[in-house]
């Protein structure tokens, strides 16, 4: 059995994600104007939609890239395989805002930075290993934290604490 490097679980609600994406928008407002937004799929899609609305940006493109093994979750997903770029973006990123939900090890961030060196890279969450690659972020979390985004979760019954003791 392999050992997971994640010791902490950090569930993020839709409300918290929306609030953080709006906070990121506030930080990006004065750094513009922006020609457009490039969302890194899939994690960057929801934050990019919120930021586009808040900054009144109409031009939105995507970089479609597969990492994290992408076929599982948790322990299996953290074992990063090769990056597979399914769709890139033309140009060097000048005047563009590059958006993702999270920078983790920095592997994906570095590949995208190499493709679009002049883009401004913004994420909601940043872990220490990837933080130097990001221009603007809202919340830093430890490297051993597994962030559970709302699109990866569903509501289920929670056993009352008193019943867990029995």
């Amino acid at each position: 059995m392999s050992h997971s490097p994640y010791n902490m679980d950090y569930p993020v609600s839709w409300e918290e994600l929306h609030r953080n994406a709006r906070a990121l928008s506030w930080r990006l407002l004065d750094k513009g104007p922006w020609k457009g937004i490039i969302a890194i799929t899939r994690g960057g899609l929801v934050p990019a939609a919120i930021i586009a609305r808040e900054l009144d940006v109409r031009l939105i493109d995507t970089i479609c890239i597969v990492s994290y093994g992408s076929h599982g979750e948790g322990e299996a997903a953290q074992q990063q395989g090769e990056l597979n770029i399914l769709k890139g973006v033309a140009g060097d990123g000048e005047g563009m805002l590059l958006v993702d939900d999270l920078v983790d090890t920095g592997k994906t961030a570095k590949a995208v930075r190499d493709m679009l060196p002049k883009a401004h890279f913004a994420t909601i969450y940043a872990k220490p290993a990837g933080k130097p690659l990001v221009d603007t972020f809202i919340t830093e979390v430890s490297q051993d934290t597994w962030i559970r985004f709302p699109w990866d979760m569903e509501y289920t019954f929670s056993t009352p604490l008193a019943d867990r003791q029995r």
Side-chain angles (χ1 to χ4, degrees):
M1 186 171 181
S2 64
H3 174 70
S4 172
Y6 299 105
N7 297 319
M8 301 189 8
D9 207 36
Y10 186 67
V12 177
S13 69
W14 283 108
E15 184 181 14
E16 182 179 2
L17 183 91
H18 192 189
R19 189 168 43 247
N20 284 329
R22 291 189 77 207
L24 186 56
S25 300
W26 272 109
R27 291 199 181 165
L28 296 168
L29 189 60
D30 294 336
K31 299 179 188 295
W34 305 106
K35 294 179 185 172
I37 292 175
I38 302 166
I40 300 174
T41 68
R42 292 177 310 212
L45 288 169
V46 172
I50 296 166
I51 292 165
R53 188 251 182 206
E54 296 299 336
L55 301 183
D56 195 28
V57 173
R58 302 293 173 147
L59 178 65
I60 302 172
D61 204 344
T62 56
I63 286 184
C64 305
I65 192 163
V66 181
S67 69
Y68 271 175
S70 282
H71 300 295
E73 60 178 58
E75 217 173 304
Q78 61 84 22
Q79 298 170 355
Q80 283 195 342
E82 292 298 307
L83 294 178
N84 183 10
I85 297 165
L86 304 174
K87 177 193 165 294
V89 175
D92 59 9
E94 187 168 6
M96 299 298 281
L97 186 54
L98 187 59
V99 176
D100 208 351
D101 54 357
L102 162 75
V103 62
D104 192 329
T105 64
K107 187 174 180 180
T108 301
K110 182 169 184 349
V112 174
R113 276 276 202 212
D114 290 346
M115 292 165 62
L116 301 164
K118 293 188 177 177
H120 185 96
F121 192 18
T123 64
I124 295 178
Y125 301 100
K127 293 187 181 182
K131 188 172 76 164
L133 294 160
V134 180
D135 297 307
T136 306
F137 67 92
I138 292 299
T139 303
E140 181 173 356
V141 296
S142 63
Q143 202 67 41
D144 65 347
T145 296
W146 184 261
I147 299 175
R148 295 193 183 273
F149 289 99
W151 49 82
D152 291 328
M153 295 185 294
E154 57 186 26
Y155 290 107
T156 60
F157 176 78
S158 177
T159 305
L161 293 175
D163 292 343
R164 295 180 199 179
Q165 302 296 320
R166 294 181 187 141

